[in-house]
């Protein structure tokens, strides 16, 4: 049976990095489900649609180009915000469900990170992590990331914090698949951990089940 590791958490909690490292460690496939919502957000923008309109967002969700999952264009704060808006539409979430569930079953195992993997996409995952960190720490990580990518034009950290808080609020309060730990998720707070320490902690939580 395929082993499924679900890694959920808010923006910049470290869940993506941890998921990637866990997948490499175990030799499993990795899916960043946030990239799917980002591709939908970008698709709506490119089609000059309105992300708040469900029909526009669903149209983009049906035409996702998975080859663009590594495109740096989906990593901007603006596309993150679009992703958060389109992801609140139930029909968009439904349109992405089959792809995620099919991916989840790839042998010998998968690591999927997102917001609702342990609660909705893979409620029967072998093991579930919920990765969190304070909003300030997460905003600072984003600032470091974006400044390194674009040294000539570092972003405003206060604005990043406000964006993270806005995105969190929308992700946590939406009616469908809100961001929250599954009842059987193991919590990992990375506020005071660097990447190596966070990975060691994640491995300690996950290994007994894998
Ligand atoms: O993880 P990332 O920041 O790339 O996700 C972008 C946005 O996509 C999130 O703010 C969230 O609104 C949405 N998302 C979601 N469900 C997931 C993954 C991401 O709603 N499983």
């Amino acid at each position: 049976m395929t082993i499924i590791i679900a890694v959920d958490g808010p923006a910049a909690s470290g869940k993506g990095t941890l998921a990637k490292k866990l997948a490499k460690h175990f030799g499993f496939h990795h899916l960043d489900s946030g990239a799917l919502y980002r591709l939908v957000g970008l698709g709506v923008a490119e089609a000059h649609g309105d992300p708040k309109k469900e029909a526009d967002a669903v149209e983009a969700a049906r035409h996702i180009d998975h080859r663009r999952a590594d495109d740096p264009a989906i990593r901007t704060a603006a596309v993150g915000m679009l992703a958060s808006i389109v992801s609140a539409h139930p029909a968009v979430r439904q349109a992405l469900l089959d792809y995620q569930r099919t991916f989840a079953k790839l042998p010998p195992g998968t690591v999927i990170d997102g917001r609702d993997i342990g609660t909705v996409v893979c409620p029967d995952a072998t093991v579930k992590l919920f990765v969190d960190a304070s909003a300030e720490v997460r905003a600072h990580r984003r600032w470091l990331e974006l400044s390194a990518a674009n040294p000539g034009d570092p972003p405003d950290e206060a604005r990043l914090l406000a964006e993270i808080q806005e995105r969190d609020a929308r992700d946590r309060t939406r009616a469908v698949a809100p961001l929250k730990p599954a009842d059987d998720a193991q919590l990992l707070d990375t506020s005071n951990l660097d990447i190596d320490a966070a990975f060691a902690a994640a491995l300690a939580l996950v290994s007994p089940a894998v």
Side-chain angles (χ1 to χ4, degrees), residues 39-40 43 56-66 68 95-96:
L39 284 168
V40 176
D56 287 5
V58 169
E59 181 65 15
R62 296 215 175 102
H63 297 99
I64 281 190
D65 182 353
H66 291 282
R68 292 182 73 186
L96 300 180

Side-chain angles (χ1 to χ4, degrees), residues 97-109:
L97 210 47
D98 275 355
Y99 178 86
Q100 295 175 84
R101 287 190 173 151
T102 304
F103 186 98
K105 294 195 197 102
L106 290 175

Side-chain angles (χ1 to χ4, degrees), residues 89-141:
H89 299 302
V92 169
R93 308 201 68 84
Q94 188 61 39
L96 300 180
L97 210 47
D98 275 355
Y99 178 86
Q100 295 175 84
R101 287 190 173 151
T102 304
F103 186 98
K105 294 195 197 102
L106 290 175
T110 53
V111 184
I112 308 188
D113 68 85
R115 302 289 188 289
D116 63 337
I117 308 305
T119 51
V120 176
V121 179
C122 302
D124 298 326
T126 316
V127 55
K128 303 176 184 177
L129 284 184
F130 191 87
V131 184
D132 210 346
S134 73
E136 288 74 16
V137 165
R138 292 185 286 122
H140 187 61
R141 285 182 189 155

Side-chain angles (χ1 to χ4, degrees), residues 8 11 15 32-35 37-38 75 80 83-85 87 93 100 113-117 142 167 171 174:
D8 289 303
K15 65 181 188 310
D32 164 12
S33 66
Y37 291 93
R38 285 172 180 269
R75 293 292 150 201
S84 163
I85 295 169
S87 70
R93 308 201 68 84
Q100 295 175 84
D113 68 85
R115 302 289 188 289
D116 63 337
I117 308 305
R142 261 295 133 81
R167 197 133 74 89
D171 289 352
R174 68 181 171 220

Side-chain angles (χ1 to χ4, degrees), residues 2-198:
T2 298
I3 290 174
I4 302 173
I5 303 176
V7 184
D8 289 303
S13 57
K15 65 181 188 310
T17 304
L18 289 176
K20 227 176 273 164
K21 285 173 89 70
L22 287 169
K24 191 161 179 225
H25 178 85
F26 291 113
F28 290 173
H29 306 274
H30 170 232
L31 176 66
D32 164 12
S33 66
L36 304 176
Y37 291 93
R38 285 172 180 269
L39 284 168
V40 176
L42 184 68
V44 172
E46 286 179 349
H48 306 292
D50 178 353
K52 295 209 171 84
K53 280 198 191 139
E54 188 163 70
D56 287 5
V58 169
E59 181 65 15
R62 296 215 175 102
H63 297 99
I64 281 190
D65 182 353
H66 291 282
R67 288 166 306 180
R68 292 182 73 186
D70 296 323
D71 188 336
I74 69 166
R75 293 292 150 201
T76 64
V79 172
M81 202 54 94
L82 288 172
S84 163
I85 295 169
V86 298
S87 70
H89 299 302
V92 169
R93 308 201 68 84
Q94 188 61 39
L96 300 180
L97 210 47
D98 275 355
Y99 178 86
Q100 295 175 84
R101 287 190 173 151
T102 304
F103 186 98
K105 294 195 197 102
L106 290 175
T110 53
V111 184
I112 308 188
D113 68 85
R115 302 289 188 289
D116 63 337
I117 308 305
T119 51
V120 176
V121 179
C122 302
D124 298 326
T126 316
V127 55
K128 303 176 184 177
L129 284 184
F130 191 87
V131 184
D132 210 346
S134 73
E136 288 74 16
V137 165
R138 292 185 286 122
H140 187 61
R141 285 182 189 155
R142 261 295 133 81
W143 183 85
L144 288 173
E145 236 171 67
L146 293 171
S147 314
N150 208 348
D153 183 22
D156 177 36
E157 190 162 338
R159 191 174 53 82
L160 287 179
L161 176 60
E163 279 172 7
I164 279 199
Q165 286 167 331
E166 184 185 338
R167 197 133 74 89
D168 279 2
R170 188 171 19 241
D171 289 352
R172 287 183 208 273
T173 57
R174 68 181 171 220
V176 185
L179 168 66
K180 63 164 191 218
D183 291 338
D184 51 352
Q186 312 202 56
L187 303 185
L188 174 57
D189 189 323
T190 66
S191 300
N192 300 310
L193 304 178
D194 64 15
I195 291 175
D196 289 344

